Short mmCIF file of all heavy atoms in Angstrom, two decimals:
data_model
loop_
_atom_site.label_atom_id
_atom_site.label_comp_id
_atom_site.label_asym_id
_atom_site.label_seq_id
_atom_site.Cartn_x
_atom_site.Cartn_y
_atom_site.Cartn_z
N ALA A 29 25.02 113.03 75.10
CA ALA A 29 24.16 113.56 76.17
C ALA A 29 23.08 114.51 75.66
O ALA A 29 22.36 115.10 76.48
CB ALA A 29 25.03 114.29 77.20
N GLN A 80 24.20 136.54 64.14
CA GLN A 80 24.42 137.96 63.87
C GLN A 80 24.27 138.75 65.17
O GLN A 80 23.16 139.06 65.59
CB GLN A 80 23.45 138.46 62.80
CG GLN A 80 23.66 137.76 61.47
CD GLN A 80 22.64 138.14 60.41
OE1 GLN A 80 21.49 138.39 60.73
NE2 GLN A 80 23.07 138.15 59.17
N GLN A 82 24.20 141.76 67.91
CA GLN A 82 23.89 143.18 67.88
C GLN A 82 25.12 144.00 68.29
O GLN A 82 25.27 145.14 67.86
CB GLN A 82 22.71 143.47 68.83
CG GLN A 82 21.42 142.81 68.38
CD GLN A 82 20.30 143.00 69.38
OE1 GLN A 82 20.36 143.87 70.25
NE2 GLN A 82 19.28 142.17 69.28
N PRO A 252 23.46 92.55 46.89
CA PRO A 252 23.94 93.90 46.59
C PRO A 252 23.05 94.65 45.62
O PRO A 252 22.76 95.84 45.80
CB PRO A 252 25.33 93.65 46.00
CG PRO A 252 25.78 92.36 46.60
CD PRO A 252 24.53 91.53 46.71
N THR A 277 28.66 110.45 62.54
CA THR A 277 29.34 111.72 62.80
C THR A 277 29.22 112.62 61.57
O THR A 277 29.55 112.18 60.46
CB THR A 277 30.83 111.50 63.12
OG1 THR A 277 30.95 110.77 64.35
CG2 THR A 277 31.57 112.82 63.27
#
Side-chain angles (χ1 to χ4, degrees):
Q80 297 175 326
Q82 295 175 18
T277 295

